[in-house]
Amino acid sequence: MNTKLFYCQNSIDRAGNLRKDETWLSNQFKSPQALLMPYWRSKSLFSANLDSLSYLLLKQSEHIFSVTTETIFLGLENERPVFAVDLSAYELEEASQLVAAGEFHDLRKVVTRLPQEQASLAAYARGLIHWHKTHAYCSHCGSKSAAIQGGHARQCTNHACKAMCFPRLDPAIITLIEHTPQHGKHMCLLGVHDTPAGTVCTTLAGFVEPGETLEEAVKREMMEEVGLVVKNIRYVASQPWPFPASIMIGFTAESDSLEFTLDRDEVPNAAWFTAKELLEASQTGKISLSKTDSIARYLIENWISKNIA
């Protein structure tokens, strides 16, 4: 099984302290060594050769800098400054003419053909650009805000306010529930969704609410969605999920009961599976597991690998 966690190997140096220095940042912006990561309406620029796909970092280009409304400093890659540039104000043909290279693709549709570091950097850029698009105005007074610190903060342009805001994330827990009978095979509970493409099985998830810990969120969400009391909550891994602005925090948890009650607004159906049942059903095409790039898929494949014997 693939068992890979995507978007989690971002090796770029974000230069968090340096990007606060406007003089230093201006010099990076003007550097002939600067690289650009163009972005257009939720899509990143990749090489046209889909057999050996890679994102394209273009050399510094004054004409692109002059026509974009948002330019974000991502960090240093091998000491070369990397900027994300948003060309979403243009139609696709115009944006393509500006970059004069490659093709724009939805990251999630091509991610399995990308090196992990490239997928992580593209996701990082996507998340920041989305944040800028949705925070153009001050939440305190309603005035326009402007990007500062290389695009890692915004500040109100109203001098009587000057409120600052920073990129927000919506934390979400995602949980694989296990049941271990006294006699028999280990089982896991998955949500079952019928889609036009077939039946998809996935783990259960929900957003963390104010005033609760991650573990409390797991207990609450599992009770709300399938009516189960869970215990032995164990952290597995986390995953950036800028689609548009989340971080997924993965857990496993145990239930003593097999009897569940569905909140059909959240989970239309669910079922218990052994590892063998899941593996065989997914291999024969009877069901599909969560998308390859998701932490849900990572949790399921890890569980199958540990319990397939």
Side-chain angles (χ1 to χ4, degrees):
M1 305 193 81
N2 193 31
T3 318
K4 184 187 296 183
L5 197 54
F6 289 81
Y7 313 120
C8 297
Q9 293 186 16
N10 199 332
S11 59
I12 196 168
D13 176 4
R14 299 191 182 206
N17 291 328
L18 293 172
R19 70 190 181 211
K20 297 177 182 179
D21 184 335
E22 293 297 330
T23 300
W24 180 87
L25 193 62
S26 176
N27 289 335
Q28 302 308 305
F29 191 81
K30 299 172 184 176
S31 170
Q33 299 299 312
L35 298 173
L36 310 184
M37 175 177 272
Y39 176 95
W40 180 82
R41 300 183 189 179
S42 300
K43 297 181 179 182
S44 299
L45 186 68
F46 297 98
S47 59
N49 182 1
L50 296 183
D51 293 329
S52 58
L53 197 68
S54 62
Y55 68 53
L56 291 180
L57 288 176
L58 305 182
K59 290 184 178 180
Q60 198 260 29
S61 175
E62 289 185 3
H63 80 281
I64 293 180
F65 273 143
S66 66
V67 297
T68 181
T69 56
E70 294 287 357
T71 302
I72 300 166
F73 174 70
L74 298 177
L76 301 172
E77 185 174 78
N78 297 322
E79 300 185 355
R80 300 186 70 177
V82 181
F83 294 87
V85 290
D86 186 7
L87 302 177
S88 299
Y90 298 89
E91 295 303 318
L92 179 57
E93 184 176 350
E94 295 174 299
S96 298
Q97 289 174 351
L98 285 170
V99 297
E103 297 174 351
F104 289 99
H105 292 286
D106 185 326
L107 174 59
R108 294 199 66 193
K109 292 183 178 179
V110 300
V111 65
T112 57
R113 285 177 279 169
L114 290 174
Q116 282 280 59
E117 294 83 359
Q118 295 189 1
S120 299
L121 184 57
Y124 166 35
R126 189 186 193 281
L128 276 176
I129 288 175
H130 172 81
W131 176 69
H132 282 283
K133 281 184 171 297
T134 55
H135 288 76
Y137 294 90
C138 175
S139 61
H140 292 257
C141 72
S143 300
K144 282 214 166 193
S145 64
I148 59 174
Q149 297 182 14
H152 292 262
R154 294 188 72 90
Q155 188 167 35
C156 180
T157 57
N158 178 359
H159 291 289
C161 178
K162 291 188 177 181
M164 291 180 64
C165 66
F166 299 89
R168 61 164 291 176
L169 290 175
D170 300 319
I173 57 90
I174 184 161
T175 307
L176 184 142
I177 300 178
E178 303 173 285
H179 175 75
T180 305
Q182 289 185 343
H183 305 287
K185 298 288 187 180
H186 296 276
M187 306 176 76
C188 74
L189 181 67
L190 298 178
V192 178
H193 303 265
D194 290 323
T195 73
T199 300
V200 178
C201 293
T202 188
T203 49
L204 306 174
F207 289 107
V208 181
E209 294 187 352
E212 68 180 355
T213 66
L214 300 178
E215 292 81 3
E216 288 169 344
V218 170
K219 290 180 180 179
R220 175 182 55 76
E221 285 288 345
M222 299 309 103
M223 175 57 69
E224 289 177 1
E225 294 191 353
V226 290
L228 287 175
V229 175
V230 295
K231 62 180 183 179
N232 295 336
I233 298 168
R234 295 179 297 277
Y235 169 79
V236 178
S238 63
Q239 180 188 37
W241 196 251
F243 306 105
S246 294
I247 181 166
M248 307 300 293
I249 304 128
F251 294 89
T252 59
E254 296 177 9
S255 170
D256 289 333
S257 174
L258 288 173
E259 300 295 325
F260 57 85
T261 304
L262 295 174
D263 176 353
R264 294 193 182 274
D265 290 335
E266 297 284 340
V267 184
N269 207 346
W272 290 99
F273 298 90
T274 66
K276 183 178 180 182
E277 288 170 342
L278 267 182
L279 186 61
E280 290 180 351
S282 62
Q283 288 179 339
T284 59
K286 184 177 179 181
I287 64 168
S288 296
L289 303 179
S290 305
K291 289 186 177 181
T292 305
D293 65 333
S294 67
I295 192 172
R297 180 66 166 264
Y298 178 81
L299 291 171
I300 295 169
E301 290 190 344
N302 264 327
W303 185 84
I304 291 173
S305 297
K306 291 177 181 177
N307 294 282
I308 195 60

